[in-house]
Amino acid sequence: MSLNYEEMCWRDVRDYFRKWREDNERRSDDVINLWEAVLEDKVIKTGNEKNLILEQVIVAALDTARLDIAGKCIKELSSEFPGSLRVMKFKAMQLEAMERYNDALEVLDAIIAKDETNAAPRKRKVAILKAKGRRIDAIKELNEYLKKFMSDQEAWNELCNLYLAEGDYAKAAFCMEEVLLHNPHSHLVHQRLAEIRYTMGGMDNIELARTYYSQAIKLNPKNLRALYGFYLCCTMVANSRALGTKRKEAQKMAQWALNQANTLTAKRSTIENNEELIDALEGAFANLEIKSM
């Protein structure tokens, strides 16, 4: 949406800012352009919304690397709310944008020392440690955070990513199980946990992966990735030293997964006359043979 800044008054801009805040839209470029063109000299007229608008502009300025605008807004908030932890958080974000990570960490530590229940600065610390490539320290900090905020799904998901980056799949699986407790009906969570278990290897983990893949398919029958993973798990079981009945059952389920994948691929494909591609896919699946360790 293009906005005609010249024909807008400060009330129009205020209403746009309010709408974007309520809809959780960043619109950083538009915010900065409207701020400079219309609202900067008239922000005092917005009354009770002034501080909300200043915070919105700070975030937009940091998004667009307009550190000069962010600095002015932070200075104005600081003069009105000296010693405010909320303003200190914005100062830390400004330092982080300037790549002064050590200074930003000092500000965040000061915020945490004053209010240990404040979750935002702890998350910013993890983000900074990741940016500096200190994954081990980020994992340690995130574990400390989760001792106090155990129901934070995003934190568990982020900790899972960090463990995966370190190759610690067992702990990554534990983190995804915590996410699964909060999202038992999410096919994507089941799928990701299945992928982690499959990567860990071993028949016990393959069986668990097959269970999670099957649940992901049950929740979303159109999940092609889960079908493919389910097929791979069944193929491994079929080629294992399991009981004969178990191997035959796995072969039947693998064939079912193959048929479902072929059907979905045929329906979703935008390529005309794709029968040859479907046959090639079926041949690739059929020729795939995975031996258990």
Side-chain angles (χ1 to χ4, degrees), residues 7-289:
E7 297 180 0
M8 297 177 69
C9 68
W10 69 267
R11 292 184 180 86
D12 297 327
V13 177
R14 178 200 60 191
D15 293 341
Y16 271 117
F17 278 27
R18 182 190 301 152
K19 182 179 184 301
W20 293 337
R21 287 197 306 273
E22 292 174 350
D23 295 342
N24 290 321
E25 293 185 66
R26 294 284 274 257
R27 303 292 293 268
S28 298
D29 290 324
D30 287 331
V31 168
I32 293 302
N33 290 334
L34 287 171
W35 172 257
E36 289 187 304
V38 181
L39 199 57
E40 184 173 8
D41 298 330
K42 301 178 179 65
V43 68
I44 192 66
K45 296 182 179 180
T46 58
N48 294 333
E49 292 187 54
K50 172 190 171 185
N51 296 326
L52 291 174
I53 290 173
L54 287 174
E55 292 183 358
Q56 190 174 4
V57 172
I58 290 170
V59 174
L62 295 176
D63 283 345
T64 55
R66 292 297 305 272
L67 301 182
D68 54 329
I69 294 177
K72 290 178 182 178
C73 294
I74 291 172
K75 185 176 181 180
E76 187 167 348
L77 285 175
S78 298
S79 62
E80 190 166 350
F81 304 101
S84 167
L85 299 183
R86 193 177 180 91
V87 177
M88 289 176 67
K89 183 192 74 171
F90 286 119
K91 287 182 179 178
M93 291 171 63
Q94 182 187 26
L95 292 169
E96 186 179 346
M98 298 167 66
E99 297 187 358
R100 292 169 55 184
Y101 296 128
N102 292 332
D103 294 335
L105 286 173
E106 289 180 5
V107 175
L108 293 172
D109 286 334
I111 297 174
I112 295 170
K114 291 182 179 180
D115 182 7
E116 294 185 355
T117 63
N118 195 335
R122 295 178 183 273
K123 287 186 174 183
R124 293 310 317 165
K125 281 190 69 176
V126 174
I128 291 174
L129 292 171
K130 277 187 64 180
K132 296 181 70 176
R134 294 165 54 184
R135 281 200 298 261
I136 300 299
D137 292 332
I139 289 172
K140 182 179 178 182
E141 186 66 33
L142 202 47
N143 273 305
E144 290 297 320
Y145 170 83
L146 284 167
K147 289 179 181 178
K148 296 179 174 61
F149 305 94
M150 287 182 258
S151 60
D152 192 329
Q153 301 174 44
E154 291 182 356
W156 282 113
N157 201 35
E158 182 61 36
L159 186 57
C160 176
N161 291 334
L162 290 170
Y163 278 131
L164 288 175
E166 289 295 311
D168 196 338
Y169 296 106
K171 291 180 180 178
F174 174 82
C175 294
M176 282 312 297
E177 287 168 355
E178 290 290 332
V179 177
L180 185 60
L181 289 174
H182 294 93
N183 292 287
H185 301 296
S186 171
H187 68 99
L188 295 175
V189 175
H190 284 278
Q191 172 194 305
R192 192 171 192 210
L193 184 51
E195 290 169 350
I196 294 172
R197 287 292 182 184
Y198 183 85
T199 305
M200 291 172 69
M203 286 311 301
D204 290 340
N205 285 314
I206 295 299
E207 290 282 8
L208 281 173
R210 184 171 66 162
T211 302
Y212 288 123
Y213 275 130
S214 65
Q215 185 64 20
I217 296 168
K218 182 180 179 181
L219 292 168
N220 181 12
K222 296 182 180 180
N223 189 331
L224 189 59
R225 183 162 176 162
L227 281 169
Y228 177 63
F230 185 74
Y231 174 85
L232 291 179
C233 291
C234 291
T235 303
M236 289 197 72
V237 174
N239 288 311
S240 69
R241 298 177 181 178
L243 295 175
T245 55
K246 195 172 184 179
R247 292 203 302 271
K248 289 181 180 179
E249 182 185 1
Q251 288 175 351
K252 290 180 181 179
M253 288 190 289
Q255 185 60 45
W256 173 85
L258 174 61
N259 294 336
Q260 292 295 112
N262 285 340
T263 302
L264 285 175
T265 304
K267 288 182 179 179
R268 293 183 181 183
S269 177
T270 57
I271 303 174
E272 296 180 359
N273 301 321
N274 62 349
E275 290 81 3
E276 294 183 1
L277 295 176
I278 299 299
D279 291 339
L281 175 65
E282 184 174 358
F285 273 105
N287 293 328
L288 183 61
E289 185 176 358

